[in-house]
Amino acid sequence: MSTYRDKATGFVTPYWSNLSDADRGGYYDVYNIEVTDSEGNNDIGEVKSLLLARGKKNADYTDIKSLTPAQYELGLKNSVLMNSEAELDLMFHDMVCAINEVLAPTKAYDVNDYNDYVVNTVPITDENGNPGTTTGLRLRNTDTGIEVDVINDSVRFLDEKNCCLGSDNKLPPHELFSRMTVDRFTKCEVLDASGNGTGQYLYMYNEEDPSDSETLYSITNLKINQEVSEQPYLLPHIHQYDSETGMGGAIAYDMAENLYKVWETDGYYLNPTDTTPCTFENFYAKLCSELANEGSVYKTMSESLKATRDQVESRRQEVLGVNADEELQSMIKYQNAYNASSRYITVVSQMIEYLLSTV
């Protein structure tokens, strides 16, 4: 038996060296942590229990967010560490997204909201493969030059009418929490029917992709916005200038109130089996309580099973084992009995010899 270390997670796992091809990365694991069946007698062993508790990867919120209660009970919940990691990351993700959404709000595309922009007839293919057309926006990424057609609400843009600005008065506003390599928005120019730029710009939100960890608002992929950290006045806090009213630059007290409301919002769930919505404060309390309860349950189970094991071992030793104290007592007892018997025989022998010699 040997062990190998996973390069991605750093986890060490035991494998059968005689059944594996380690040089080519082919490992035959000693334990299959996907299966734990008492009838098959494969739910025992201290090493396997540690592997089950650890899990097979470093979990994030995507490992728990889309699960049904049944899937959660049969899978993720069985690993204490993965479950705790996923729940903590879920809380962090929801908190970060809620705060960023107040500072740099987004809204789904709706053609009726973009009457001020050039709207094109965009070619599409329906679900049966037939060509057709629909109304939408044709955009060009100002960084890469790639063109994209926007026709449905699966795409989100910066909500320019309802966002506030920092002291630099620039769009898009800065978010507080940033992904390592992915910006919150991509600047796109609106194109006309001929594919020419119109001088109109939109800021397309870069959606999270569960298949690409670099796009996630996850604990391992986040940092405090460096620009805001160095220049706090860049954090959105003033209203934009409104040409119709001639007003602008006022402190955004309403935005600050919305930030405060983020902490009072009662709509978050710890995991798929949690049926009581909670605030972020209660979310953390639930997380700590769940972990403490699981620890207490497992500790009680461990102590109970240990007591049962000791009791069985004691009974076994009563039948098959040797008790050194009892054996020593027996040896002393039989030795004393032997000495007494020997003394008795000696006295009787001397008495008979005396009688014979006297007669």
Side-chain angles (χ1 to χ4, degrees):
M1 186 185 297
S2 300
T3 60
Y4 68 91
R5 183 182 296 274
D6 187 275
K7 294 181 179 179
T9 63
F11 290 170
V12 174
T13 303
Y15 71 96
W16 296 116
S17 53
N18 61 318
L19 301 176
S20 305
D21 187 358
D23 294 336
R24 298 183 180 182
Y27 298 103
Y28 191 91
D29 291 346
V30 175
Y31 300 99
N32 179 8
I33 63 174
E34 300 293 335
V35 179
T36 53
D37 180 15
S38 59
E39 294 184 359
N41 200 34
N42 57 12
D43 64 340
I44 60 176
E46 184 176 351
V47 175
K48 184 167 186 177
S49 66
L50 291 174
L51 292 174
L52 284 170
R54 182 193 71 183
K56 59 183 180 181
K57 57 174 286 190
N58 294 315
D60 57 43
Y61 76 92
T62 60
D63 294 302
I64 195 173
K65 200 171 183 66
S66 61
L67 297 180
T68 65
Q71 291 171 331
Y72 172 72
E73 290 283 355
L74 295 175
L76 185 66
K77 190 177 181 181
N78 291 325
S79 170
V80 176
L81 289 182
M82 283 184 64
N83 183 60
S84 298
E85 287 174 344
E87 290 178 345
L88 180 62
D89 197 55
L90 178 62
M91 180 189 72
F92 195 82
H93 168 268
D94 290 348
M95 185 186 302
V96 164
C97 289
I99 293 173
N100 282 345
E101 190 64 25
V102 174
L103 299 175
T106 62
K107 66 175 181 178
Y109 169 73
D110 184 342
V111 67
N112 297 318
D113 294 334
Y114 292 88
N115 294 324
D116 295 336
Y117 298 88
V118 175
V119 179
N120 290 309
T121 299
V122 179
I124 61 169
T125 302
D126 64 20
E127 57 184 11
N128 297 319
N130 301 316
T133 59
T134 188
T135 302
L137 294 174
R138 176 159 293 171
L139 307 175
R140 178 187 293 128
N141 187 318
T142 58
D143 292 329
T144 64
I146 298 175
E147 296 184 5
V148 60
D149 293 326
V150 179
I151 59 176
N152 56 49
D153 60 4
S154 64
V155 178
R156 289 192 285 167
F157 294 98
L158 170 66
D159 188 357
E160 296 186 33
K161 292 182 179 180
N162 296 308
C163 72
C164 297
L165 303 176
S167 296
D168 57 355
N169 288 309
K170 291 182 179 179
L171 288 175
H174 297 274
E175 59 182 351
L176 180 57
F177 300 97
S178 300
R179 291 167 282 190
M180 292 293 187
T181 59
V182 180
D183 294 329
R184 184 169 179 82
F185 297 104
T186 295
K187 186 177 181 180
C188 299
E189 185 177 12
V190 181
L191 306 180
D192 61 20
S194 301
N196 300 316
T198 63
Q200 298 174 311
Y201 295 93
L202 291 172
Y203 299 92
M204 182 184 297
Y205 175 67
N206 295 314
E207 296 283 355
E208 298 176 83
D209 181 1
S211 64
D212 185 357
S213 61
E214 293 187 354
T215 68
L216 303 179
Y217 281 100
S218 179
I219 291 177
T220 57
N221 191 45
L222 281 175
K223 62 181 179 179
I224 299 295
N225 189 316
Q226 188 67 27
E227 292 180 271
V228 171
S229 178
E230 295 176 354
Q231 306 174 75
Y233 55 82
L234 293 180
L235 195 69
H237 65 283
I238 56 176
H239 286 293
Q240 299 181 65
Y241 177 77
D242 189 340
S243 58
E244 295 181 1
T245 63
M247 299 179 63
I251 299 298
Y253 293 107
D254 54 336
M255 189 197 72
E257 184 177 351
N258 290 335
L259 273 176
Y260 177 76
K261 289 180 180 178
V262 166
W263 305 102
E264 295 185 328
T265 301
D266 191 16
Y268 301 97
Y269 297 88
L270 181 63
N271 54 54
T273 60
D274 183 14
T275 58
T276 306
C278 61
T279 63
F280 287 126
E281 181 179 1
N282 291 334
F283 192 112
Y284 185 72
K286 277 185 177 182
L287 176 60
C288 293
S289 177
E290 179 191 57
L291 192 58
N293 287 338
E294 285 191 352
S296 177
V297 169
Y298 288 133
K299 181 180 179 182
T300 301
M301 289 176 60
S302 175
E303 292 175 347
S304 176
L305 291 173
K306 183 178 179 180
T308 301
R309 183 202 66 186
D310 293 342
Q311 184 178 11
V312 171
E313 177 64 15
S314 177
R315 294 289 180 86
R316 188 179 75 85
Q317 290 295 338
E318 288 179 5
V319 177
L320 301 176
V322 175
N323 188 308
D325 293 338
E326 290 182 358
E327 293 300 324
L328 181 59
Q329 290 177 4
S330 297
M331 288 178 64
I332 293 173
K333 180 179 68 175
Y334 290 124
Q335 172 140 20
N336 290 335
Y338 173 82
N339 292 335
S341 298
S342 176
R343 181 64 179 165
Y344 173 79
I345 293 173
T346 300
V347 171
V348 171
S349 177
Q350 292 176 347
M351 181 181 67
I352 293 175
E353 183 179 356
Y354 175 76
L355 289 174
L356 290 175
S357 62
T358 301
V359 173

